[in-house]
Every structure is written in structure tokens, then in C-alpha cells.
């Protein structure tokens, strides 16, 4: 899968990306949306704020092939362009008598609740805030994610008969022990609500915020006081959100300060570009040493320079301070957004932890307390929404297996015979469709105004046509091949190879192809699916029709036993 | 040293040429290759405005003739773009699918026009003037143009304006203080520059934001934030340079704004060095990273990189804060940090 359909493999939820992009070309937006929704219950949300691990792996972005497909924008296009009267499909199973409680109505909790509800179990979700959504509602700024989209997609989940209890904090309003007794299983999906501190002098001064606290206050309607010069510490999504929000709240000079460099920021290029467009400066190779203040308020911050040091294993580079390199700049507000960790003190008896995160047994989502499962950011640390959704769903399937005594869904590879698509070779050279955005003035006047405007049907089709549709697989039937080499002549890159040997693995499957440059030694001509861009030129030119096309998709199948 | 050494230099500017010369002087047997995506030979960049104005010929731009390279046995690969570096395999991939192996590599890729993010949306209307190709393309256009807007700026922009006044053009100079390169101008400096320009008959607009640029028949219409409308034939952007490192980012070679090097101009790979306007060095005197500008600094760094590469461990000294006189104002130009 990693070699054949790299985007789908990179997606934590394994979304059928070529499948839904093809639907957009065919203007079947509703089907496209549903293909997403099978594994990711919030396509409209993710189409706006996904961290896009798929685009990094997109074959179109390989050297000499141009830029990756705007997969995320297309996901949004499917959600935007589908009919308002679109029919949602649910695969519902027979109701059971099992009751499950989910703690936290964030992406992981919602995904788990949805999956359990479709599987027939009675689900109650406990959420400490006044509205469901977790970080979607309280963490991510509205200019990136309009709240009506969040509400709509959450309503689609809740109406499956999920009991959503808002404003109930487990541990405070209701002890966890009681929950454990009332329900057959409990899933903790409480996210990461504690912010890491810099642990430097001056952090308690007025004008120093933690990134999450800053965003939550704004998203609950407050307007935290900020000065005109703002320094954000950290380089993740929260840091950039805080910086962009600070500009909207009237700051004139906002900088994002990194210990390492831009290259190591955990955000996509798109977010960086928007931030820079809003005149946010990104400074690399600095780390804060102390925050200075007068009369209890921030007046400045002292940084020291760092340099990169090589490590042989991940994260490969660390920042080490340079001696005697301290410098101070005047500043009015400091926002510290260097990461978060979960709240675990409500769980008694004490849980086994993995650092500051909740420990779970590998691949089972079981915590050290019997009957208590955990999913999402509280076991992994703050990640991204798509990972949280994927994990919430998997945890739900584990809980289901506990009741049913076996797994009811299994992921299989389906291979079906296919035909050459109507993609033209010229489609490979369509430039990336840019997402229209609000101009610099209009976007800053209202902090809730969505910056990205979405694709219209034409832009969506143009972008969708760029996809190579890597779920198609081209193969040469060696028995029929006449070794005319015509396919090699028309190949757009070195994707068809002359083979002198094939490794055969212990289980009988084919391993690496051993290439040769000598015609005398050729035993087969083979298409290297890692290099193939599915242009179909070989198929058209083959005089003996020995090249076949098949469609390879990951599907979920019900397991009777 | 083994006889099959191949020193490759990417970039055919002052840093690259100096490095190539020094390598050849000290090592007669190694292969030395300069690769450059420009097809024109080594030239003086600061003379481009004079060339565009038609005051000097193409030959006067050239620093030295091609024959020198033959005499010195330095291979020139001009018009060939390096697309990717694989530092672990020690291989360069050129645009035309050619692989070039090296034993030691010097990156002297220089800079390309800097466009601050707030100007990016107007980029399609801008004319840039950073290399020979730009100059050749602009030369006839400029002869015809009457009204010219110069977005400033940098040191070359002031030189360019001087050249335009000589050509009797109608000039508007938009000076954005925090976009001046390589330094941020104080309001006093900006005031001095604009008043000295006004004396020469140039309309200077200080810190006037651009609201929109549109194309109308043969003219470009620029609307400022305060409602002025300026029609012009050309809008020339001079906002300094940014290091050419796009093809290096992600290769494993450490970069920030430029290519990160130590005081020997060595990157995080022992056999790769960087020098000139693409190299970023920590300067203990400034307590900051800096990137040198100007051909003299570049040549000095080219020499240092070559000597370090050959094992001399020559250290690049932090350049003192040079004061240059720009339009009657003293400006510190030996380093810059803002983009």
C-alpha cells in the first residue's frame, strides 16, 4: 500500500483518497463526501484544518513531477459542493444491550461514539464544556474553521441516538468510579488540556499566556488583553493560530520564535504561507531565557541563539544554545505554545502513565485499569485531528470486540479489473489550483471571517484531474509479452524495467525486482508501481494487449465470526 | 590526496569563481567544475543598471573571458540547473536528468529577488532586475517606457534610479521603511533619502501601502492605500535578495534563512561548504546570524571556503559593521537579518 497508493497509506484514517478525488471529476460530490465519511466522520472540518500528511507523500510531488495534489482542498470541495439535500448513508448494526461511556466530545471521542453507535451499542458522551467539539470548538480559531460546519457534522453523529451530556466534568461532577460501574466499558478521550510551561523566570508575569488558554478564552467569547508587540514561542499549529489571532486582535508586530528552524515546524507549508502573508515574522534558532517585567507586567524577553546538532535517530536535529549569545527585545505580550499534555488526575486509582500521557497496551487502547480504554491525544500527546479520529475509531472497534468476542470489521484489499480512465497525459501538467483567500484587510477586520474561500466546481475539477489515481495498478502479463520494448520507449520516466531476476520471499510473494541493462539477460519486463504515474501510455502502445489495469482498494468487510 | 578528486562549485558569481581559482592554484590535479543555471559568463552584477541604460556594452559586463577557464582547466557547465543534492551519495541531479558526482562541494548559489509576503500578490506585475537574463529582457522595454514605478528598495534600486534620471524618465519611488534591504530604515533616514530624491525630480512616496495593481491596455495602474492612482509602463521591484536555497532544503544540509555554516564555512556535512550570499554564519560580535552581501565579501568567503576545503582550516572573520553612504545617508550594510 505504501508503495502503490502513498497518500492513502500516509493518512492515519486510511481515507480512500484516489476514490474520492475521482468522484469529484465525475461531479459525484455526495459520493465523494461519503467515501470520506466511511473512515472520517468530519470531512467538512478536515477539509479545512487537516495537517495533510497525504500531500507530503503524493506521487505528483516527487522530484520532476511537479507539486502534490491539493488533496485537502478537494476534501473540502466535496463537502461544499454536495447537494444540501444530500443523503447520508449509515451502516447500522443490530442494537445490543451494551452501554459505553465516552469521556470527551472532541474528535477522538466523537469518532469513538459514532462507531459504537453504528455498531448498535448505547453510547453516552460526557463533555465538560458547554458545547461539543473539543479543540474544534475551543482550540482552532474560527477564521480557519467556521463553527456552523463543526455543529452540522457533529449533529450528524449525535442523532444516531448518542446521549450527549454537556457541562459534566468527570472527576468533579461525577466520579469515574461511578461511570465504570454503570457502563460496560468507558473510553477516555480527554485530549491534552494542560500546557507545557517554559520553566523560565518571568513566566508568571501579566501578559504571558499559554497558547491553549489564549485560544480557549477567545473561543469562549473573551478578548484577552494583548499589547502591540507579541512574541509567540513554539512552532506548531497552536503557535501559528495564536500569532494569527494576535494580529487580528490589533497587535502590530507579531513573531513566531523557534528553537530549531522553519524546516522542522510541525505545520504544513500552506499555514506558513498564510501566516507570512499576514506579516507574521518567523525567527529560527532562538530560545527564550527569561521574560522581563516591570510592576508585574511583561516588558521584554531575553533569547539566546541556538545551533542545530545532529542526532543519529529521530528527531535527528536538536537545538543547542550558543554560549554568550543572549539578546533582549522589548515585548508586550508573550504566548507560550510549546505543547500540551493530558489531565489524568481525575482517574483513581492511579493509572499507568507513559511520560505524562496515559499508557495503553499496544494496539488495544486498554489502559492499566480494567474496562477503561483511552484514545486520541491523551495517549499520544497533542497530534492532529485526523490522527485523533483514526484512533477514536480504532478504540471503538476494540471495545466492540470485547463485547462480541471477535472483531466485526476487517480491512481487506479488493482487487478488481478496471479500464483505462479518461485521464489525458496533459492533465499531468495542470498547475496546482490555488485556493482563493480573503484579502489582507478584509480578513483582519473580523476574527470569525473564514480566510479560505473554497474551490468552485471548475477549480475543483481542474485540481481533481491532476490526481494520477494511484489506486490503479498496471501490470504486464509476462506470458503474453513479446519483448518489443515499445512500452519502455513511451514511458514518461524509468517506470518500466528490464528484469533479470525476481526475489521470492519466504511466503511465496514477490520481492524486489532485479534490474538489468543487458538485453540478453532479460527474463521479464515489469512495471515498477513505485515509479508508475498511471499515465496509461504503455497500455495504448502495447501491440499484444499484454498490459492489464486493476483497481486496488482497501475495504472494510464484515466478519461473521 | 587521491588523484580522482572532483571539486564541484554551484554558482558562477564572485564567491564561486574565487573558490574555483583558489582550488586550482592549490590542487593542480583535481577536477574543478563550476555549475551555473545562468548561461552568461561571470559578470559584474552592480553594472547591470548601466548595461540596461545602454551605457555599457555586454563585454564590459564580463569580469573575465571564457578562455581563462580553459587555461586554468576549470570546467564550466553553464545554463545547467542543479535540481537536487544527495549529500549521502555525493551526487547532484541536474535539471536535464544528468547526475554529477563530487568528492567535495562548494555551494555559492547567491541570492534571488526577495519579495516580502505582503507584496507577493502583486508579483506578476513586477519587473525584477537581478541577473543578466532579466537585464537583456528589460533593456528594450525600458527604452520605450516613460513612467516607471520603483518599489524600493535596496542599494541597487538607488543606483537604478540614478540611471533612470539620466534617461529622462518620469519616476515614482515607493519606499517602504520596513521592507528596505538590508536594513530597516529609521524615519530620519527615510526622510533624508526621499528629500534627496525629490530634489532630483523623483516623486517619492514613503511608507505608502499598495492597495491594488491592475493592467489597463498598455499601462499598469497602481492604487495606493491613501487613494492615489499612478499609471506606469513598468513597476520595478528592488527589495533585496534572499539566499537561493530552495533546492537544498530537505536534502539533509541544514538551512535556516540561508545555508548554515560554521566559521570554516563548512555545513553539517564535512565535505560540503557554502559561501557568499547563500551562507548563514553565527557572528559572535553581533550575537546573531548574518549573511554577508556584496561581491567583495563573497570573494573573500569563496577563498576561505576553498582553503578550508583543502584542509587549511581558515576561519572567516566576522566582517566589521561597514558604513556605506546611500543617497546621502550612512547605512550599515555588512549584514542583514530581516527578510
Amino acid at each position: 500500500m505504501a508503495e502503490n497508493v502513498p497518500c492513502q497509506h500516509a493518512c492515519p484514517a486510511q481515507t480512500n483518497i484516489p476514490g474520492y478525488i475521482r468522484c469529484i471529476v465525475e461531479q459525484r460530490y455526495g459520493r465523494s463526501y461519503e467515501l470520506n465519511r466511511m473512515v472520517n466522520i468530519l470531512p467538512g472540518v478536515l477539509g479545512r484544518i487537516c495537517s495533510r500528511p497525504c500531500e507530503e507523500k503524493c506521487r505528483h510531488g516527487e522530484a520532476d513531477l511537479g507539486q502534490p495534489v491539493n488533496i485537502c482542498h478537494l476534501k473540502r470541495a466535496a463537502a461544499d459542493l454536495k447537494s444540501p439535500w444530500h443523503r447520508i448513508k449509515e451502516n447500522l448494526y443490530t442494537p445490543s444491550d451494551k452501554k459505553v461511556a465516552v469521556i470527551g466530545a472532541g474528535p477522538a471521542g466523537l469518532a469513538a461514539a459514532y462507531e459504537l453507535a453504528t455498531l448498535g451499542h448505547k453510547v453516552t458522551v460526557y463533555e465538560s464544556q458547554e458545547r461539543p467539539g473539543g479543540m474544534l470548538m475551543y482550540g482552532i480559531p474560527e477564521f480557519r474553521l467556521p463553527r456552523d460546519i463543526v455543529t452540522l457534522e457533529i449533529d450528524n453523529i449525535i442523532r444516531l441516538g448518542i446521549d450527549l451530556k454537556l457541562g459534566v466534568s468527570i472527576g468533579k461532577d461525577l466520579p469515574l468510579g461511578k461511570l465504570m460501574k454503570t457502563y460496560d466499558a468507558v473510553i477516555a478521550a480527554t485530549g491534552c488540556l494542560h500546557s507545557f510551561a517554559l520553566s523560565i523566570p518571568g513566566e508568571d508575569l501579566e501578559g504571558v499566556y499559554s497558547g491553549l488558554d489564549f485560544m480557549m478564552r477567545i473561543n469562549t467569547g473573551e478578548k484577552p488583553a494583548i499589547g502591540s508587540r507579541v512574541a509567540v514561542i513554539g512552532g506548531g499549529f497552536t503557535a501559528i493560530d495564536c500569532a494569527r489571532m494576535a494580529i487580528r486582535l490589533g497587535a502590530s508586530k507579531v513573531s513566531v520564535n523557534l528553537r530549531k528552524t522553519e524546516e522542522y515546524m510541525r505545520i504544513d507549508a500552506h499555514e506558513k504561507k498564510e501566516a507570512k502573508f499576514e506579516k507574521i515574522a518567523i525567527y529560527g534558532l532562538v530560545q527564550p531565557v527569561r521574560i522581563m517585567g516591570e510592576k508585574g507586567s511583561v516588558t521584554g524577553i531575553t533569547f539566546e541563539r541556538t545551533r542545530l546538532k545532529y542526532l543519529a535517530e529521530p528527531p535527528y536535529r536538536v537545538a543547542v544554545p550558543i554560549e554568550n549569545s543572549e539578546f533582549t527585545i522589548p515585548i508586550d505580550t508573550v504566548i507560550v505554545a510549546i505543547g500540551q499534555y493530558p489531565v489524568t488526575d481525575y482517574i483513581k486509582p492511579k493509572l499507568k502513565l507513559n511520560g505524562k500521557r496515559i499508557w495503553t497496551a499496544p494496539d488495544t487502547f486498554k489502559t492499566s485499569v480494567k474496562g477503561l480504554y483511552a484514545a486520541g491525544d491523551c495517549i499520544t500527546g497533542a497530534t492532529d485531528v485526523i490522527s485523533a479520529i483514526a484512533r477514536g475509531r480504532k478504540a471503538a472497534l476494540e471495545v466492540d470486540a470485547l463485547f462480541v468476542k471477535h472483531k466485526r470489521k476487517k480491512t481487506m484489499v479488493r482487487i478488481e479489473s478496471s479500464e483505462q480512465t479518461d485521464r489525458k497525459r496533459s492533465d499531468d501538467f495542470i498547475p496546482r489550483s490555488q485556493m482563493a483567500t480573503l484579502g489582507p484587510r478584509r480578513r483582519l477586520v473580523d476574527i470569525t471571517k473564514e480566510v479560505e474561500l473554497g474551490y468552485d466546481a471548475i477549480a475543483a475539477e481542474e485540481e481533481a484531474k491532476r490526481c494520477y489515481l494511484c489506486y490503479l495498478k498496471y501490470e504486464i502479463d509476462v506470458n503474453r509479452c513479446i519483448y518489443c520494448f515499445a512500452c519502455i520507449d513511451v514511458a514518461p520516466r524509468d517506470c518500466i524495467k528490464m528484469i533479470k531476476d525476481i526475489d521470492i520471499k519466504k511466503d511465496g510473494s514477490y520481492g524486489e525486482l532485479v534490474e538489468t541493462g543487458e538485453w540478453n539477460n532479460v527474463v521479464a519486463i515489469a512495471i515498477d508501481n513505485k515509479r508508475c504515474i498511471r499515465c496509461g501510455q504503455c497500455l495504448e502502445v502495447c501491440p499484444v494487449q499484454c498490459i492489464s489495469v486493476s483497481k486496488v482498494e482497501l475495504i472494510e468487510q464484515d466478519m461473521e465470526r | 590526496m587521491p588523484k580522482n578528486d572532483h571539486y564541484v562549485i554551484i554558482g558562477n558569481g564572485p564567491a564561486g569563481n574565487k573558490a574555483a581559482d583558489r582550488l586550482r592554484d592549490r590542487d593542480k590535479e583535481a577536477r574543478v567544475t563550476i555549475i551555473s543555471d545562468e548561461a552568461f559568463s561571470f559578470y559584474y552584477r552592480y553594472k547591470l543598471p548601466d548595461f540596461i541604460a545602454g551605457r555599457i556594452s555586454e563585454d564590459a559586463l564580463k569580469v573575465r573571458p571564457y578562455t581563462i577557464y580553459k587555461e586554468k582547466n576549470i570546467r564550466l557547465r553553464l545554463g545547467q540547473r542543479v535540481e537536487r543534492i544527495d549529500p549521502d551519495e555525493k551526487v547532484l541531479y541536474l535539471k536535464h536528468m544528468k547526475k554529477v558526482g563530487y568528492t567535495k562541494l562548494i555551494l555559492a548559489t547567491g541570492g534571488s529577488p526577495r519579495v516580502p509576503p505582503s507584496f507577493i500578490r502583486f508579483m506578476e506585475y513586477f519587473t525584477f532586475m537581478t541577473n543578466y537574463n532579466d537585464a537583456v529582457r528589460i533593456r528594450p522595454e525600458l527604452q520605450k517606457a516613460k513612467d516607471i514605478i520603483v518599489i524600493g528598495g535596496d542599494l541597487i534600486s538607488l543606483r537604478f534610479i540614478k540611471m533612470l534620471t539620466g534617461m529622462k524618465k518620469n519616476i515614482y519611488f515607493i519606499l517602504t521603511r520596513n521592507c528596505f534591504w538590508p536594513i530597516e530604515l529609521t524615519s530620519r533616514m527615510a526622510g533624508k533619502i526621499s528629500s534627496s530624491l525629490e530634489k532630483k525630480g523623483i516623486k517619492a512616496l514613503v511608507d505608502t501601502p499598495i492597495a491594488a495593481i491592475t493592467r489597463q491596455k498598455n499601462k499598469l495602474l497602481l492604487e495606493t492605500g491613501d487613494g492615489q492612482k499612478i499609471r506606469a509602463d513598468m513597476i520595478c521591484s528592488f527589495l533585496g535578495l534572499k539566499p537561493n536555497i530552495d533546492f537544498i532544503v530537505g536534502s539533509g544540509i541544514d538551512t535556516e534563512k540561508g545555508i548554515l555554516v560554521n566559521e570554516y564555512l563548512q555545513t553539517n556535512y564535512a565535505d560540503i561548504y557554502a559561501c557568499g550570499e547563500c551562507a548563514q554564519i553565527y557572528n559572535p560580535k553581533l550575537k546573531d546570524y548574518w549573511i554577508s552581501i556584496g561581491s567583495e565579501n563573497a570573494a573573500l568567503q569563496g577563498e576561505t571556503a576553498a582553503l578550508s576545503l583543502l584542509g587549511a582550516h581558515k576561519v572567516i572573520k566576522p566582517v566589521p559593521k561597514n558604513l556605506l553612504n546611500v543617497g546621502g545617508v550612512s547605512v550599515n550594510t555588512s549584514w542583514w537579518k530581516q527578510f
Side-chain angles (χ1 to χ4, degrees):
Chain A
M1 204 67 195
E3 290 172 2
N4 278 300
V5 197
C7 54
Q8 184 169 4
H9 186 260
C11 176
Q14 303 209 308
T15 313
N16 182 353
I17 294 165
Y20 82 72
I21 290 183
R22 180 65 195 167
C23 286
I24 292 173
V25 177
E26 292 167 355
Q27 296 176 359
R28 295 159 70 209
Y29 307 116
R31 172 71 183 151
S32 181
Y33 184 81
E34 288 306 309
L35 273 178
N36 267 290
R37 208 166 173 277
M38 281 177 188
V39 287
N40 156 22
I41 36 137
L42 306 166
V45 170
L46 266 303
R48 288 168 167 84
I49 50 112
C50 192
S51 57
R52 309 159 197 212
C54 50
E55 290 182 19
E56 273 171 36
K57 298 283 179 210
C58 174
R59 186 162 278 130
H60 215 315
E62 285 177 12
D64 304 323
L65 293 179
Q67 287 184 295
V69 175
N70 268 322
I71 300 171
C72 189
H73 292 345
L74 287 171
K75 190 195 301 287
R76 172 179 171 169
D80 288 354
L81 299 170
K82 71 178 179 349
S83 156
W85 311 110
H86 163 69
R87 178 167 65 102
I88 284 180
K89 284 185 198 160
E90 305 290 10
N91 287 319
L92 299 181
Y93 290 70
T94 318
S96 78
D97 57 352
K98 300 290 180 189
K99 291 193 294 178
V100 184
V102 176
I103 310 171
L110 289 169
Y114 169 82
E115 202 61 33
L116 287 164
T118 55
L119 289 164
H121 310 303
K122 189 82 195 119
V123 185
T124 310
V125 179
Y126 292 92
E127 167 59 50
S128 62
Q129 297 287 342
E130 294 303 314
R131 296 163 80 188
M135 284 301 123
L136 305 176
M137 196 60 83
Y138 295 100
I140 296 169
E142 221 171 324
F143 61 80
R144 282 217 289 142
L145 180 61
R147 296 303 187 251
D148 55 338
I149 307 280
V150 182
T151 311
L152 178 85
E153 294 195 328
I154 293 179
D155 284 349
N156 276 338
I157 299 166
I158 300 302
R159 67 176 186 176
L160 286 178
I162 294 167
D163 188 9
L164 177 63
K165 294 198 187 298
L166 295 170
V168 184
S169 177
I170 301 301
K172 240 186 250 165
D173 305 323
L174 196 65
L176 178 65
K178 197 171 174 197
L179 229 57
M180 301 287 292
K181 277 186 203 137
T182 322
Y183 294 92
D184 296 299
V186 177
I187 300 179
T190 50
C192 287
L193 286 175
H194 278 328
S195 298
F196 280 110
L198 287 168
S199 308
I200 58 169
E203 229 177 326
D204 49 351
L205 289 165
E206 199 172 313
V208 182
Y209 296 97
S210 87
L212 183 62
D213 181 49
F214 182 73
M215 287 314 303
M216 283 186 83
R217 284 166 74 167
I218 290 162
N219 287 329
T220 48
E222 273 186 60
K223 209 178 166 191
I226 60 155
S228 70
R229 295 161 301 186
V230 178
V232 179
I233 315 293
F237 279 105
T238 310
I240 292 290
D241 283 346
C242 290
R244 293 179 70 187
M245 192 50 94
I247 283 271
R248 282 163 175 76
L249 292 177
S252 57
K253 250 189 164 172
V254 179
S255 63
V256 170
N257 299 277
L258 315 168
R259 279 156 53 92
K260 292 197 267 184
T261 63
E262 262 185 57
E263 198 184 334
Y264 296 97
M265 282 173 88
R266 295 185 307 271
I267 64 166
D268 54 85
H270 189 77
E271 264 338 281
K272 263 186 241 174
K273 191 183 118 207
E274 289 301 326
K276 286 183 182 171
F277 184 72
E278 290 169 12
K279 296 190 181 171
I280 290 161
I282 300 179
Y283 298 125
L285 302 174
V286 288
Q287 76 175 29
V289 183
R290 75 187 77 87
I291 302 169
M292 341 276 259
E294 263 173 41
K295 293 177 192 160
S297 299
V298 175
T299 54
I301 182 164
T302 301
F303 287 105
E304 60 187 343
R305 306 271 172 201
T306 63
R307 60 183 176 78
L308 294 178
K309 190 181 161 199
Y310 173 80
L311 290 184
E313 49 201 50
Y316 299 111
R317 299 285 189 286
V318 284
V320 283
I322 297 174
E323 261 180 48
N324 248 332
S325 64
E326 286 188 10
F327 66 100
T328 302
I329 52 166
I331 213 86
D332 306 305
T333 306
V334 177
I335 303 174
V336 182
I338 52 168
Q340 287 125 242
Y341 62 94
V343 181
T344 51
D345 50 9
Y346 68 95
I347 303 171
K348 292 189 179 80
K350 276 225 150 99
L351 268 182
K352 186 175 169 188
L353 295 182
N354 166 21
K356 286 195 176 240
R357 309 187 289 263
I358 298 177
W359 174 88
T360 52
D363 300 326
T364 64
F365 299 91
K366 282 180 187 157
T367 66
S368 55
V369 176
K370 195 166 182 279
L372 180 64
Y373 289 71
D377 283 359
C378 65
I379 61 168
T380 55
T383 55
D384 45 48
V385 179
I386 190 70
S387 304
I389 288 181
R391 292 205 178 86
R393 186 166 186 263
K394 280 181 195 156
L397 293 173
E398 286 297 324
V399 172
D400 181 63
L402 172 80
F403 301 147
V404 186
K405 308 279 187 277
H406 68 85
K407 288 220 168 128
R408 280 203 275 177
K409 289 180 180 179
K410 196 181 176 193
T411 306
M412 317 265 256
V413 177
R414 179 175 68 194
I415 302 172
E416 58 183 329
S417 168
S418 180
E419 283 177 8
Q420 167 72 336
T421 62
D422 54 2
R423 275 194 91 239
K424 297 186 206 74
R425 178 77 175 117
S426 57
D427 291 347
D428 295 344
F429 303 99
I430 298 174
R432 220 175 187 213
S433 306
Q434 293 303 319
M435 166 69 76
T437 56
L438 282 181
R441 284 181 193 202
R442 283 177 61 207
R443 64 167 76 175
L444 299 187
V445 289
D446 179 359
I447 61 168
T448 61
K449 225 173 183 93
E450 191 178 14
V451 169
E452 294 183 346
L453 302 173
Y455 281 153
D456 57 15
I458 298 166
E461 191 187 340
E462 280 302 285
E463 187 61 26
K465 279 189 335 202
R466 297 180 65 230
C467 176
Y468 292 146
L469 303 176
C470 295
Y471 66 0
L472 298 179
K473 191 173 175 163
Y474 288 75
E475 275 173 307
I476 296 175
D477 181 349
V478 181
N479 292 329
R480 283 158 68 194
C481 176
I482 56 167
Y483 301 89
C484 67
F485 302 102
C487 54
I488 294 182
D489 290 343
V490 296
R493 63 201 305 224
D494 58 337
C495 46
I496 307 185
K497 290 171 174 168
M498 298 193 289
I499 304 300
K500 66 174 178 189
D501 199 6
I502 299 167
D503 280 344
I504 296 180
K505 293 184 192 163
K506 275 184 187 164
D507 61 1
S509 64
Y510 291 144
E512 283 292 309
L513 305 174
V514 186
E515 252 189 283
T516 176
E518 288 174 37
W519 292 39
N520 293 344
N521 297 336
V522 175
V523 296
I525 308 282
I527 296 173
D528 182 352
N529 276 286
K530 278 183 274 185
R531 303 278 301 162
C532 170
I533 60 166
R534 280 72 173 163
C535 68
Q537 309 252 58
C538 53
L539 186 89
E540 280 167 29
V541 80
C542 179
V544 291
Q545 279 110 44
C546 71
I547 298 177
S548 63
V549 192
S550 50
K551 188 156 95 180
V552 183
E553 284 174 295
L554 280 185
I555 55 157
E556 257 175 7
Q557 209 166 41
D558 286 340
M559 303 293 286
E560 293 283 327
R561 282 211 49 79
Chain B
M1 201 169 279
K3 290 227 168 102
N4 55 0
D5 269 341
H6 185 197
Y7 305 137
V8 176
I9 296 143
I10 308 179
N12 188 26
N17 275 281
K18 192 72 173 183
D21 288 357
R22 202 50 80 236
L23 288 171
R24 174 50 73 227
D25 292 348
R26 300 285 175 107
D27 187 343
K28 303 280 184 222
E29 295 182 352
R31 285 156 65 209
V32 179
T33 304
I34 293 178
I35 306 178
S36 166
D37 62 349
E38 284 196 71
F40 194 61
S41 78
F42 180 26
Y43 60 92
Y44 296 105
R45 193 169 61 199
Y46 71 91
K47 287 187 181 173
L48 285 176
D50 291 329
F51 170 68
I52 296 165
R55 282 207 210 112
I56 59 168
S57 71
E58 198 176 277
D59 279 341
L61 267 184
K62 289 181 186 166
V63 179
R64 54 190 193 180
Y66 288 112
T67 46
I68 289 272
Y69 297 94
K70 187 153 195 181
E71 285 163 23
K72 287 181 181 270
N73 189 22
I74 294 171
R75 183 167 179 205
L76 262 186
R77 298 184 80 131
L78 297 184
Q80 304 190 8
R81 190 179 180 82
V82 180
E83 287 258 294
R84 195 154 55 88
I85 300 177
D86 186 337
D88 296 317
E89 296 290 322
K90 294 194 174 195
V91 172
L92 307 175
Y93 292 83
L94 305 186
K95 171 93 180 159
H96 56 289
M97 302 287 198
K98 176 94 186 158
K99 281 191 204 175
V100 178
Y102 63 84
T103 45
K104 301 221 169 168
L105 178 66
I106 293 183
L107 302 166
T109 55
S112 52
R114 180 183 82 117
V115 182
S118 49
F119 287 102
I120 283 177
R121 63 203 169 107
F122 307 124
M123 238 174 100
E124 58 177 304
Y125 305 107
F126 287 173
T127 303
F128 299 101
M129 217 163 299
T130 34
N131 58 37
Y132 173 77
N133 278 344
D134 293 340
V136 169
R137 203 182 57 245
I138 295 160
R139 215 174 160 180
E141 272 180 58
L142 194 77
Q143 302 294 339
K144 275 188 270 167
K146 276 187 200 143
D147 306 303
I148 294 165
I149 299 171
V150 178
I151 312 266
D154 55 17
L155 303 179
I156 288 195
S157 74
L158 299 174
R159 205 183 162 91
F160 180 68
I161 285 190
K162 203 172 158 195
M163 178 273 285
L164 289 181
T165 45
M167 291 170 79
K168 304 261 183 302
K169 304 284 184 193
N170 196 10
I171 310 158
Y172 299 86
F173 188 66
I174 298 183
L175 177 65
T176 311
R177 274 193 294 137
N178 59 12
C179 284
F180 197 85
W181 185 86
I183 49 142
E184 196 165 318
L185 292 180
T186 62
S187 51
R188 195 184 65 88
M189 285 170 164
K192 267 196 170 183
I193 292 183
S194 70
S195 64
S196 77
L197 291 174
E198 296 273 359
K199 273 183 212 150
K200 290 177 190 140
I202 295 157
K203 290 160 206 77
L205 302 148
V206 178
D207 280 346
T208 313
I210 303 172
I213 301 179
T214 43
R215 200 178 292 281
Q216 295 192 335
K217 289 181 191 164
N218 300 326
K219 287 266 187 183
L220 291 167
L221 176 70
L222 182 145
E223 289 174 63
T224 62
D226 53 12
Q228 294 185 61
K229 288 185 178 177
I230 307 170
R231 265 170 232 284
D233 299 295
M234 284 173 94
I235 302 176
C236 303
S237 167
F238 292 92
L239 294 158
L241 297 172
K242 67 173 175 58
N244 280 330
I245 57 165
D246 288 351
F247 72 104
I248 297 165
V249 176
S251 64
I253 301 171
D254 283 341
T255 57
E256 203 240 336
K257 304 289 188 213
I259 302 161
L260 292 169
V261 288
N262 60 17
E263 65 270 37
Y264 306 113
L265 300 179
Q266 191 176 35
T267 67
N268 57 319
Y269 282 86
D271 42 23
I272 303 179
Y273 293 74
C275 54
E277 288 173 354
C278 66
Q280 183 177 356
I281 311 167
Y282 179 72
N283 183 334
K285 282 192 182 160
L286 301 169
K287 294 192 174 182
D288 196 358
Y289 285 91
W290 60 284
I291 296 175
S292 74
I293 58 166
S295 58
E296 275 177 36
N297 285 334
L300 177 71
Q301 289 200 4
E303 174 155 24
T304 309
L307 295 176
S308 295
L309 181 153
L310 294 168
H313 285 291
K314 196 163 162 8
V315 172
I316 189 82
K317 289 202 186 81
V319 177
K321 300 177 180 183
N322 284 341
L323 291 174
L324 280 199
N325 196 303
V326 181
V329 184
S330 289
V331 177
N332 186 330
T333 61
S334 69
W335 82 96
W336 52 263
K337 46 184 178 175
Q338 282 270 13
F339 279 81

